[in-house]
Amino acid sequence: MYSSQASAFPSRVIGLISGTSVDGIDAALVEITGTELDLKVELLAGKTYPYPAELRERILAVCAGEAISMLELADMDDVIALAFAQAAQNIQIGYQPANLIGSHGQTVYHRPPKEAGVGKKTLGYTLQLGRGEMIAYLTGITTVSNFRVADIAVGGHGAPLVPRVDAFLLSHPHESRCIQNLGGIGNLAYIPARTDDWLSQIRGWDTGPSNSLLDLAVERLTSGAKTYDEDGKWAASGTPCYSLVEKWLTHEYFHLSPPKSTGRELFGVAYLNQCFQDAEPYQLSPADMLATLTELTVASIVHSYRTFLPQMPQRVFLCGGGSRNLYLKQRLQLALETIPVLTTDEAGVSADFKEAIAFAVLAHWRQLGIPGNLPTATGAPQEVLLGEIHQG
């Protein structure tokens, strides 16, 4: 049980995450007061620390299924932990030191739970590298890590974990909202207006590919000279091929009922190779290909909303790296017609660092003994405490 008195005092926490885009480590230094409905978070500093090119390539190769030895896996775990610890130390420069770190780590493998006969299922499996015990050892700061496994252990997907944080930071008394994260993989939190029993009506799941395919395509089309399409300018100069988008939308994942989760295991290099193969008869230009992949992200999000939400939201707030892709944002606004598409910046939460902020909050909750998962989003049968605590 947590102490409400203790939660009244500010806690200075660092949130760390590297998402499925594998761009680098997002670090957020925040000051947190309150617990849930009274939760307040002030972002003191936020910065992305890019991975060294060699480490990024190694992570992407492992995510794509490249075999490595246990020794290599252990070494990678340590190298990533060192990078996370350095990010935590650097983000504090010029500020009073933090007393807690919440580190999501780097996901290299995620397998959702699956049915294994009548009334039974195989538990999901997830692996995040960058071990929390080393981060705590190197920084001297108590570190909470390995957030997903407790939800998976009771039968949940272990993802998405941010909807509960979104609920208390971004809900509205009279307005239903979708918080749409556009990382490597897209995910949403549907948050109804704060009326009676509103928490039980929140929904969340992974919508499908977002930046993962776009970034891989840019690297492929530029022979590695570029890793992303800045502001979506290249894609904006092309024309989407809607026949291809319709073909790609027949993929089984888009039609699975939530709760559901996915990753590069499904929407990674092999899937992109199939997309390029499907596109060959259409003789698309590079810009057309990027425009078509962008349209897949948009179409999968809108399909998700119209198929699985109890009702369309009154407003959509974007976050994550894709929220800076102006072309993607424009296409989504066009597809959602009269529903305003904004960024979480406009709701008072940094769109660039919202995920890192979320894991700072989850660490704060773990230390106070407050559950962090939302069963309606992860599919777990119950609320559980998330994360393993490593003393500094």
Side-chain angles (χ1 to χ4, degrees):
M1 295 297 291
Y2 68 89
S3 164
S4 58
Q5 185 176 4
S7 67
F9 294 96
S11 179
R12 188 157 293 192
V13 189
I14 297 168
L16 302 170
I17 182 172
S18 178
T20 47
S21 290
V22 197
D23 297 328
I25 301 160
D26 288 340
L29 176 64
V30 300
E31 199 157 82
I32 303 175
T33 54
T35 55
E36 295 182 309
L37 280 175
D38 63 341
L39 182 70
K40 289 184 173 56
V41 178
E42 180 186 358
L43 178 64
L44 303 177
K47 187 171 181 180
T48 299
Y49 297 92
Y51 280 128
E54 184 179 347
L55 178 57
R56 181 174 187 266
E57 288 172 11
R58 195 79 185 104
I59 294 169
L60 287 171
V62 170
C63 290
E66 183 176 297
I68 59 172
S69 69
M70 286 302 299
L71 174 61
E72 290 170 320
L73 180 65
D75 286 345
M76 182 181 287
D77 203 2
D78 285 348
V79 169
I80 293 172
L82 174 61
F84 272 69
Q86 289 172 336
Q89 290 166 330
N90 289 335
I91 199 68
Q92 297 178 84
I93 294 173
Y95 295 91
Q96 290 293 315
N99 50 37
L100 185 65
I101 294 172
S103 177
H104 172 271
Q106 175 66 64
T107 299
V108 292
Y109 184 73
H110 181 79
R111 187 191 71 202
K114 55 186 177 181
E115 297 302 321
V118 178
K120 295 182 180 180
K121 66 165 66 172
T122 300
L123 289 182
Y125 186 91
T126 194
L127 180 60
Q128 285 74 43
L129 299 184
R131 53 190 181 133
E133 62 268 34
M134 179 166 276
I135 296 171
Y137 175 75
L138 292 171
T139 62
I141 301 171
T142 296
T143 299
V144 184
S145 65
N146 224 10
F147 287 93
R148 300 192 182 276
V149 294
D151 185 86
I152 283 176
V154 295
H157 281 246
L161 293 184
V162 175
R164 192 182 189 100
V165 181
D166 287 344
F168 293 112
L169 287 183
L170 290 162
S171 59
H172 190 275
H174 311 298
E175 179 180 270
S176 63
R177 296 175 162 185
C178 266
I179 315 302
Q180 179 69 49
N181 180 48
L182 297 171
I185 296 295
N187 56 68
L188 71 88
Y190 169 77
I191 307 173
R194 287 196 306 268
T195 56
D196 294 340
D197 201 30
W198 66 286
L199 272 178
S200 69
Q201 299 172 50
I202 293 173
R203 299 290 181 268
W205 61 84
D206 289 347
T207 52
S210 179
N211 299 333
S212 58
L213 296 181
L214 289 168
D215 292 349
L216 286 171
V218 168
E219 288 193 59
R220 175 170 173 161
L221 293 168
T222 63
S223 301
K226 291 184 177 182
T227 57
Y228 71 103
D229 179 14
E230 187 175 0
D231 294 332
K233 291 176 184 175
W234 196 2
S237 68
T239 302
C241 176
Y242 294 103
S243 297
L244 271 178
V245 175
E246 288 177 16
K247 176 182 176 65
W248 295 338
L249 272 181
T250 62
H251 191 288
E252 178 187 13
Y253 181 79
F254 300 123
H255 303 277
L256 283 176
S257 297
K260 58 181 179 176
S261 59
T262 189
R264 283 182 178 270
E265 296 75 23
L266 199 57
F267 296 109
V269 174
Y271 184 84
L272 182 70
N273 289 340
Q274 184 61 53
C275 289
F276 271 89
Q277 187 176 323
D278 292 341
E280 284 177 5
Y282 296 92
Q283 298 183 317
L284 302 182
S285 70
D288 292 343
M289 189 66 187
L290 290 176
T292 306
L293 288 169
T294 301
E295 206 67 21
L296 172 62
T297 293
V298 170
S300 63
I301 290 169
V302 175
H303 172 268
S304 235
Y305 288 13
R306 290 180 175 158
T307 307
F308 302 119
L309 288 180
Q311 62 184 40
M312 293 296 281
Q314 291 168 274
R315 207 172 293 258
V316 173
F317 290 90
L318 306 180
C319 58
S323 68
R324 304 308 183 198
N325 183 323
L326 300 182
Y327 177 65
L328 173 55
K329 185 181 177 186
Q330 288 166 2
R331 296 302 300 176
L332 187 57
Q333 178 62 84
L334 187 66
L336 289 173
E337 299 173 336
T338 59
I339 300 171
V341 177
L342 311 167
T343 67
T344 58
D345 293 316
E346 295 163 273
V349 179
S350 168
D352 293 324
F353 297 103
K354 189 181 77 65
E355 301 293 293
I357 291 168
F359 283 93
V361 172
L362 289 172
H364 173 70
W365 283 345
R366 178 64 181 89
Q367 215 178 36
L368 294 177
I370 299 173
N373 67 329
L374 203 58
T376 55
T378 67
Q382 66 200 61
E383 294 181 345
V384 290
L385 299 177
L386 300 180
E388 298 167 355
I389 300 175
H390 308 281
Q391 298 297 332

